[in-house]
Amino acid sequence: MSIDVQAADRVRDHARKRIEGLQGFDYAAPAELFPSRSKKGRIAYRRFDTAAEAIRFAVEDVPPPALLGAYLEVDEARFALDEIQCLYEAAGYPLTRRAAVQAAENV
């Protein structure tokens, strides 16, 4: 296994453990998505009524390269790209995921 793959796995595992520790994560809390300082595929600062909407926007609508270095802030806690993805995949995520909608349409 290459060093890059091992490092990515460690980051992903760390993000999952942090998210698992947030059992009471409030998907209904207001959230802000801050762009990275990179000029490449940059996204603009956005404010959302709920963290769930911000997470869905980040995962489903923004190309991953544009999120590199960006972070989501909810209740003064910051979440990087891997953590945002984990929150989206968590069982407690309250919104319908796009993949689930597309699968239902194909049935």
Side-chain angles (χ1 to χ4, degrees), residues 1-10:
M1 192 179 297
S2 75
I3 293 173
D4 291 338
V5 172
Q6 290 174 346
D9 286 345
R10 275 197 306 277

Side-chain angles (χ1 to χ4, degrees), residues 71-89:
Y71 65 91
L72 179 70
E73 188 169 308
V74 181
D75 291 333
E76 298 183 17
R78 293 182 177 185
F79 302 91
L81 178 59
D82 287 336
E83 295 164 326
I84 294 169
Q85 185 66 42
C86 289
L87 287 167
Y88 180 78
E89 294 170 358

Side-chain angles (χ1 to χ4, degrees), residues 1-81:
M1 192 179 297
S2 75
I3 293 173
D4 291 338
V5 172
Q6 290 174 346
D9 286 345
R10 275 197 306 277
V11 168
R12 204 170 295 113
D13 288 343
H14 174 73
R16 287 193 197 290
K17 286 177 185 171
R18 180 173 179 213
I19 298 307
E20 287 170 4
L22 295 174
Q23 302 239 334
F25 182 81
D26 186 4
Y27 285 98
E32 299 171 283
L33 184 61
F34 291 89
S36 68
R37 294 181 184 237
S38 169
K39 302 285 186 220
K40 224 181 200 180
R42 188 175 176 163
I43 58 168
Y45 164 84
R46 289 201 50 186
R47 185 178 213 115
F48 296 86
D49 291 335
T50 68
E53 293 169 349
I55 292 165
R56 178 168 56 189
F57 172 77
V59 173
E60 295 181 358
D61 298 332
V62 179
L67 285 174
L68 291 175
Y71 65 91
L72 179 70
E73 188 169 308
V74 181
D75 291 333
E76 298 183 17
R78 293 182 177 185
F79 302 91
L81 178 59

